[in-house]
Amino acid sequence: MSKANYLFTSESVSEGHPDKVCDRISDAIVDTFLNADPQSRVAVETLCTTNRIVLAGEVRGPASVSLASLEDVARAAVRDIGYEQDGFHWKNAEVEVYVHAQSADIAQGVDAAGNKDEGAGDQGIMFGYACDETEVLMPAPIYYAHAILKSLAEARHSGAEPLLGPDAKSQVTLRYVNGRPVGAASVVVSTQHDGKLDQDAVREIVRPHVVNVLPAGWMCDEPAFYVNPTGRFVIGGPDGDSGLTGRKIIVDTYGGAAPHGGGAFSGKDPTKVDRSAAYAARYLAKNVVAAGLAQKCVIQLSYAIGVSKPLSVYVDTFGSNRVDEDRLSDVLQSLVDLSPRGIRTHLGLNRPIYARTAAYGHFGRPPEPDGGFSWERLDLVPELKGRFG
């Protein structure tokens, strides 16, 4: 039996965090290829450090996307984040490109041929999760951790807070009573800032962004509100620490409130089930909770490279279910084709919609008119309600 009263913590990092800079560059490259050819295959990793960006990986796409053009994509991503610092500048950083053609051995296992349907791009396990703690059916700690940093970033980009830098982190600890979040026990925010600001000044800049994001009455006590606990955060971003694609997988998903599969998302085209099947699992779990069939739901999918159908579909509602879980699993599989091709078709994933996912979470975001965050749709709810009366 799960505990009823407890503290739970999740963290987020901003778009300017070194790892998120790398995620953004890698996803911008995915978008570039998919924009040129929706059937492109991309698996590109990024490393960044002081005024240096390194791209590596394998691709299969149109010749119109040259290796030289990937440098321009990387610089544009860094410029959009807002890095124009001595130690990391979109214009002055050295960019090295080590990207090559996709392995023929991988391609033959994944591509459709004859009577063989397209297979999964790799083996692996993927999880999706939803719960009724927030309106977007996300765990509350990660939801508010993201929202604080997004609010700070919007103020920085708009010019309202010009003395803040792109690099930032947040951490929110919520108090749960009878299994429900009731308030913040502590909040930690570290944000890069101009050297003119002292710690107290940064604290007062950050405060309203926390207070306005949290529900009324949820703000923690003053001694538990930590802003730049080291006292100073002027050198940040890739100049302060190196970054790599795929190192913030818990930030990308559910903040530790649910299991995570074996792979990261960013830098991968949607034939890679690390990405597409994790999106499908979230889509199914969210619709289950939105339909009122459970208060929370986790779904695991597993795949083998070159095999189209999932090897297993596991559903767990943590005892909160109002319907039979085995029947629920069968109904979900009848509603959505969970092969790689079926997922991409159902959710419209072969589009340039991924750079926007690289910061502030892949889940809990509103579906967008061009197909972005399609896995957040609730279009299965009527069918699920009908199937279960």
Side-chain angles (χ1 to χ4, degrees):
M1 181 179 294
S2 60
K3 295 173 65 175
N5 303 324
Y6 56 92
L7 301 179
F8 192 83
T9 304
S10 294
E11 72 157 346
S12 180
V13 297
S14 74
E15 66 204 65
H17 184 280
D19 295 331
K20 282 290 147 198
V21 172
C22 294
D23 285 346
R24 173 64 175 275
I25 292 171
S26 293
D27 276 337
I29 290 171
V30 172
D31 283 355
T32 299
F33 274 97
L34 292 178
N35 188 58
D37 179 357
Q39 303 307 316
S40 294
R41 302 289 171 81
V42 185
V44 172
E45 314 291 335
T46 303
L47 175 149
C48 62
T49 185
T50 302
N51 269 333
R52 186 179 296 271
I53 299 167
V54 181
L55 310 178
E58 56 179 35
V59 298
R60 188 174 76 193
S64 60
V65 184
S66 65
L67 296 186
S69 70
L70 299 187
E71 176 178 338
D72 295 333
V73 173
R75 293 189 189 280
V78 174
R79 180 179 59 203
D80 193 53
I81 292 168
Y83 272 111
E84 295 185 343
Q85 300 172 0
D86 290 342
F88 196 70
H89 196 296
W90 66 269
K91 185 183 291 186
N92 302 330
E94 182 176 345
V95 181
E96 301 174 55
V97 180
Y98 302 100
V99 176
H100 56 84
Q102 183 187 49
S103 161
D105 290 347
I106 293 176
Q108 73 174 2
V110 174
D111 292 347
N115 294 325
K116 173 184 171 296
D117 193 11
E118 177 185 293
D122 201 352
Q123 70 176 46
I125 58 173
M126 300 84 207
F127 288 92
Y129 180 70
C131 63
D132 64 357
E133 292 180 11
T134 60
E135 289 186 358
V136 296
L137 305 183
M138 285 288 287
I142 189 67
Y143 174 77
Y144 293 118
H146 285 323
I148 290 167
L149 293 186
K150 196 167 185 182
S151 179
L152 286 168
E154 288 170 353
R156 177 174 61 85
H157 282 296
S158 71
E161 297 295 350
L163 298 182
L164 295 183
D167 194 359
K169 302 178 76 169
S170 66
Q171 184 170 286
V172 174
T173 300
L174 295 186
R175 182 180 297 106
Y176 283 71
V177 175
N178 294 324
R180 306 298 295 180
V182 298
S186 65
V187 176
V188 184
V189 179
S190 296
T191 180
Q192 189 181 15
H193 60 88
D194 189 281
K196 301 171 187 174
L197 297 177
D198 62 18
Q199 186 179 22
D200 289 339
V202 176
R203 184 186 188 87
E204 295 314 307
I205 290 173
V206 169
R207 184 188 302 277
H209 295 276
V210 177
V211 172
N212 293 338
V213 158
L214 293 175
W218 277 37
M219 183 61 178
C220 62
D221 295 336
E222 191 65 16
F225 177 42
Y226 302 94
V227 176
N228 285 6
T230 64
R232 181 177 170 86
F233 187 4
V234 175
I235 299 173
D239 188 28
D241 192 8
S242 62
L244 290 170
T245 299
R247 258 200 322 206
K248 288 293 177 285
I249 57 177
I250 302 302
V251 170
D252 285 343
T253 54
Y254 308 103
H260 193 288
F265 304 155
S266 291
K268 299 174 182 176
D269 74 77
T271 66
K272 279 69 171 177
V273 283
D274 277 340
R275 178 165 227 157
S276 56
Y279 291 172
R282 160 65 178 175
Y283 172 63
L284 295 177
K286 184 178 182 182
N287 276 268
V288 166
V289 175
L293 306 184
Q295 288 182 294
K296 56 182 176 179
C297 177
V298 68
I299 293 177
Q300 184 205 58
L301 306 175
S302 70
Y303 293 84
I305 188 169
V307 179
S308 62
K309 296 294 183 181
L311 304 184
S312 64
V313 180
Y314 167 80
V315 179
D316 186 1
T317 58
F318 307 91
S320 71
N321 53 306
R322 300 183 178 95
V323 299
D324 180 73
E325 286 181 343
D326 291 336
R327 185 179 172 218
L328 178 58
S329 176
D330 291 340
V331 168
L332 292 174
Q333 291 177 72
S334 73
L335 293 179
V336 179
D337 177 358
L338 293 173
S339 69
R341 185 200 299 273
I343 292 170
R344 295 202 325 278
T345 300
H346 190 95
L347 296 178
L349 297 181
N350 283 95
R351 312 185 210 189
I353 55 174
Y354 297 106
R356 69 194 76 170
T357 69
Y360 314 116
H362 291 244
F363 307 123
R365 313 274 287 274
E368 297 179 346
D370 67 349
F373 302 100
S374 60
W375 48 93
E376 295 294 315
R377 299 187 322 232
L378 295 175
D379 51 319
L380 298 182
V381 167
E383 184 69 22
L384 285 170
K385 287 183 174 180
R387 293 283 189 102
F388 290 96

